[in-house]
mmCIF file with all atom_site columns, all heavy atoms in Angstrom:
data_model
loop_
_atom_site.group_PDB
_atom_site.id
_atom_site.type_symbol
_atom_site.label_atom_id
_atom_site.label_alt_id
_atom_site.label_comp_id
_atom_site.label_asym_id
_atom_site.label_entity_id
_atom_site.label_seq_id
_atom_site.pdbx_PDB_ins_code
_atom_site.Cartn_x
_atom_site.Cartn_y
_atom_site.Cartn_z
_atom_site.occupancy
_atom_site.B_iso_or_equiv
_atom_site.pdbx_formal_charge
_atom_site.auth_seq_id
_atom_site.auth_comp_id
_atom_site.auth_asym_id
_atom_site.auth_atom_id
_atom_site.pdbx_PDB_model_num
ATOM 1  N N   . TYR L 1 22 ? -201.357 -46.117 -55.672 1.00 98.00 ? 22 TYR L N   1
ATOM 2  C CA  . TYR L 1 22 ? -202.009 -47.192 -56.413 1.00 98.00 ? 22 TYR L CA  1
ATOM 3  C C   . TYR L 1 22 ? -202.843 -46.524 -57.557 1.00 98.00 ? 22 TYR L C   1
ATOM 4  O O   . TYR L 1 22 ? -202.928 -47.179 -58.645 1.00 98.00 ? 22 TYR L O   1
ATOM 5  C CB  . TYR L 1 22 ? -202.924 -47.997 -55.494 1.00 98.00 ? 22 TYR L CB  1
ATOM 6  C CG  . TYR L 1 22 ? -202.126 -49.113 -54.814 1.00 98.00 ? 22 TYR L CG  1
ATOM 7  C CD1 . TYR L 1 22 ? -201.330 -48.871 -53.692 1.00 98.00 ? 22 TYR L CD1 1
ATOM 8  C CD2 . TYR L 1 22 ? -202.102 -50.390 -55.335 1.00 98.00 ? 22 TYR L CD2 1
ATOM 9  C CE1 . TYR L 1 22 ? -200.627 -49.862 -53.126 1.00 98.00 ? 22 TYR L CE1 1
ATOM 10 C CE2 . TYR L 1 22 ? -201.413 -51.397 -54.737 1.00 98.00 ? 22 TYR L CE2 1
ATOM 11 C CZ  . TYR L 1 22 ? -200.664 -51.141 -53.589 1.00 98.00 ? 22 TYR L CZ  1
ATOM 12 O OH  . TYR L 1 22 ? -199.924 -52.106 -53.055 1.00 98.00 ? 22 TYR L OH  1
ATOM 13 N N   . GLU L 1 23 ? -203.439 -45.375 -57.343 1.00 97.00 ? 23 GLU L N   1
ATOM 14 C CA  . GLU L 1 23 ? -204.158 -44.726 -58.455 1.00 97.00 ? 23 GLU L CA  1
ATOM 15 C C   . GLU L 1 23 ? -203.206 -44.482 -59.610 1.00 97.00 ? 23 GLU L C   1
ATOM 16 O O   . GLU L 1 23 ? -203.493 -44.688 -60.816 1.00 97.00 ? 23 GLU L O   1
ATOM 17 C CB  . GLU L 1 23 ? -204.786 -43.447 -57.954 1.00 97.00 ? 23 GLU L CB  1
ATOM 18 C CG  . GLU L 1 23 ? -205.582 -42.695 -58.951 1.00 97.00 ? 23 GLU L CG  1
ATOM 19 C CD  . GLU L 1 23 ? -206.198 -41.444 -58.445 1.00 97.00 ? 23 GLU L CD  1
ATOM 20 O OE1 . GLU L 1 23 ? -206.689 -41.443 -57.237 1.00 97.00 ? 23 GLU L OE1 1
ATOM 21 O OE2 . GLU L 1 23 ? -206.205 -40.389 -59.131 1.00 97.00 ? 23 GLU L OE2 1
ATOM 22 N N   . ALA L 1 24 ? -202.036 -43.998 -59.336 1.00 97.00 ? 24 ALA L N   1
ATOM 23 C CA  . ALA L 1 24 ? -201.041 -43.670 -60.337 1.00 97.00 ? 24 ALA L CA  1
ATOM 24 C C   . ALA L 1 24 ? -200.582 -44.970 -61.028 1.00 97.00 ? 24 ALA L C   1
ATOM 25 O O   . ALA L 1 24 ? -200.427 -45.008 -62.280 1.00 97.00 ? 24 ALA L O   1
ATOM 26 C CB  . ALA L 1 24 ? -199.875 -42.986 -59.750 1.00 97.00 ? 24 ALA L CB  1
ATOM 27 N N   . ALA L 1 25 ? -200.321 -45.949 -60.224 1.00 98.00 ? 25 ALA L N   1
ATOM 28 C CA  . ALA L 1 25 ? -199.818 -47.275 -60.819 1.00 98.00 ? 25 ALA L CA  1
ATOM 29 C C   . ALA L 1 25 ? -200.796 -47.842 -61.810 1.00 98.00 ? 25 ALA L C   1
ATOM 30 O O   . ALA L 1 25 ? -200.461 -48.429 -62.815 1.00 98.00 ? 25 ALA L O   1
ATOM 31 C CB  . ALA L 1 25 ? -199.433 -48.256 -59.683 1.00 98.00 ? 25 ALA L CB  1
ATOM 32 N N   . GLN L 1 26 ? -202.091 -47.725 -61.442 1.00 97.00 ? 26 GLN L N   1
ATOM 33 C CA  . GLN L 1 26 ? -203.134 -48.324 -62.185 1.00 97.00 ? 26 GLN L CA  1
ATOM 34 C C   . GLN L 1 26 ? -203.366 -47.572 -63.553 1.00 97.00 ? 26 GLN L C   1
ATOM 35 O O   . GLN L 1 26 ? -204.206 -48.047 -64.343 1.00 97.00 ? 26 GLN L O   1
ATOM 36 C CB  . GLN L 1 26 ? -204.407 -48.502 -61.331 1.00 97.00 ? 26 GLN L CB  1
ATOM 37 C CG  . GLN L 1 26 ? -204.177 -49.591 -60.295 1.00 97.00 ? 26 GLN L CG  1
ATOM 38 C CD  . GLN L 1 26 ? -205.420 -49.818 -59.485 1.00 97.00 ? 26 GLN L CD  1
ATOM 39 O OE1 . GLN L 1 26 ? -206.429 -50.404 -59.949 1.00 97.00 ? 26 GLN L OE1 1
ATOM 40 N NE2 . GLN L 1 26 ? -205.396 -49.324 -58.230 1.00 97.00 ? 26 GLN L NE2 1
ATOM 41 N N   . THR L 1 27 ? -202.698 -46.447 -63.722 1.00 97.00 ? 27 THR L N   1
ATOM 42 C CA  . THR L 1 27 ? -202.847 -45.805 -65.082 1.00 97.00 ? 27 THR L CA  1
ATOM 43 C C   . THR L 1 27 ? -201.935 -46.535 -66.091 1.00 97.00 ? 27 THR L C   1
ATOM 44 O O   . THR L 1 27 ? -202.115 -46.255 -67.272 1.00 97.00 ? 27 THR L O   1
ATOM 45 C CB  . THR L 1 27 ? -202.426 -44.317 -64.986 1.00 97.00 ? 27 THR L CB  1
ATOM 46 O OG1 . THR L 1 27 ? -200.999 -44.184 -64.652 1.00 97.00 ? 27 THR L OG1 1
ATOM 47 C CG2 . THR L 1 27 ? -203.242 -43.570 -63.964 1.00 97.00 ? 27 THR L CG2 1
ATOM 48 N N   . LEU L 1 28 ? -201.068 -47.370 -65.608 1.00 98.00 ? 28 LEU L N   1
ATOM 49 C CA  . LEU L 1 28 ? -200.188 -48.073 -66.522 1.00 98.00 ? 28 LEU L CA  1
ATOM 50 C C   . LEU L 1 28 ? -200.737 -49.453 -66.837 1.00 98.00 ? 28 LEU L C   1
ATOM 51 O O   . LEU L 1 28 ? -201.466 -50.095 -66.021 1.00 98.00 ? 28 LEU L O   1
ATOM 52 C CB  . LEU L 1 28 ? -198.809 -48.309 -65.847 1.00 98.00 ? 28 LEU L CB  1
ATOM 53 C CG  . LEU L 1 28 ? -197.966 -47.085 -65.614 1.00 98.00 ? 28 LEU L CG  1
ATOM 54 C CD1 . LEU L 1 28 ? -196.774 -47.364 -64.639 1.00 98.00 ? 28 LEU L CD1 1
ATOM 55 C CD2 . LEU L 1 28 ? -197.532 -46.473 -66.874 1.00 98.00 ? 28 LEU L CD2 1
ATOM 56 N N   . PRO L 1 29 ? -200.452 -50.032 -68.040 1.00 97.00 ? 29 PRO L N   1
ATOM 57 C CA  . PRO L 1 29 ? -200.854 -51.380 -68.305 1.00 97.00 ? 29 PRO L CA  1
ATOM 58 C C   . PRO L 1 29 ? -200.158 -52.408 -67.375 1.00 97.00 ? 29 PRO L C   1
ATOM 59 O O   . PRO L 1 29 ? -199.015 -52.098 -66.903 1.00 97.00 ? 29 PRO L O   1
ATOM 60 C CB  . PRO L 1 29 ? -200.477 -51.540 -69.738 1.00 97.00 ? 29 PRO L CB  1
ATOM 61 C CG  . PRO L 1 29 ? -199.611 -50.446 -70.141 1.00 97.00 ? 29 PRO L CG  1
ATOM 62 C CD  . PRO L 1 29 ? -199.704 -49.413 -69.092 1.00 97.00 ? 29 PRO L CD  1
ATOM 63 N N   . ASP L 1 30 ? -200.700 -53.461 -67.158 1.00 96.00 ? 30 ASP L N   1
ATOM 64 C CA  . ASP L 1 30 ? -200.126 -54.490 -66.274 1.00 96.00 ? 30 ASP L CA  1
ATOM 65 C C   . ASP L 1 30 ? -198.691 -54.837 -66.702 1.00 96.00 ? 30 ASP L C   1
ATOM 66 O O   . ASP L 1 30 ? -197.845 -55.117 -65.818 1.00 96.00 ? 30 ASP L O   1
ATOM 67 C CB  . ASP L 1 30 ? -200.964 -55.815 -66.275 1.00 96.00 ? 30 ASP L CB  1
ATOM 68 C CG  . ASP L 1 30 ? -202.230 -55.688 -65.451 1.00 96.00 ? 30 ASP L CG  1
ATOM 69 O OD1 . ASP L 1 30 ? -202.327 -54.696 -64.698 1.00 96.00 ? 30 ASP L OD1 1
ATOM 70 O OD2 . ASP L 1 30 ? -203.150 -56.564 -65.544 1.00 96.00 ? 30 ASP L OD2 1
ATOM 71 N N   . SER L 1 31 ? -198.421 -54.893 -67.954 1.00 96.00 ? 31 SER L N   1
ATOM 72 C CA  . SER L 1 31 ? -197.074 -55.182 -68.423 1.00 96.00 ? 31 SER L CA  1
ATOM 73 C C   . SER L 1 31 ? -196.021 -54.205 -68.000 1.00 96.00 ? 31 SER L C   1
ATOM 74 O O   . SER L 1 31 ? -194.926 -54.627 -67.653 1.00 96.00 ? 31 SER L O   1
ATOM 75 C CB  . SER L 1 31 ? -197.054 -55.347 -70.007 1.00 96.00 ? 31 SER L CB  1
ATOM 76 O OG  . SER L 1 31 ? -197.484 -54.150 -70.586 1.00 96.00 ? 31 SER L OG  1
#
Side-chain angles (χ1 to χ4, degrees):
Y22 275 82
E23 182 180 317
Q26 289 181 75
T27 66
L28 294 170
D30 286 347
S31 59

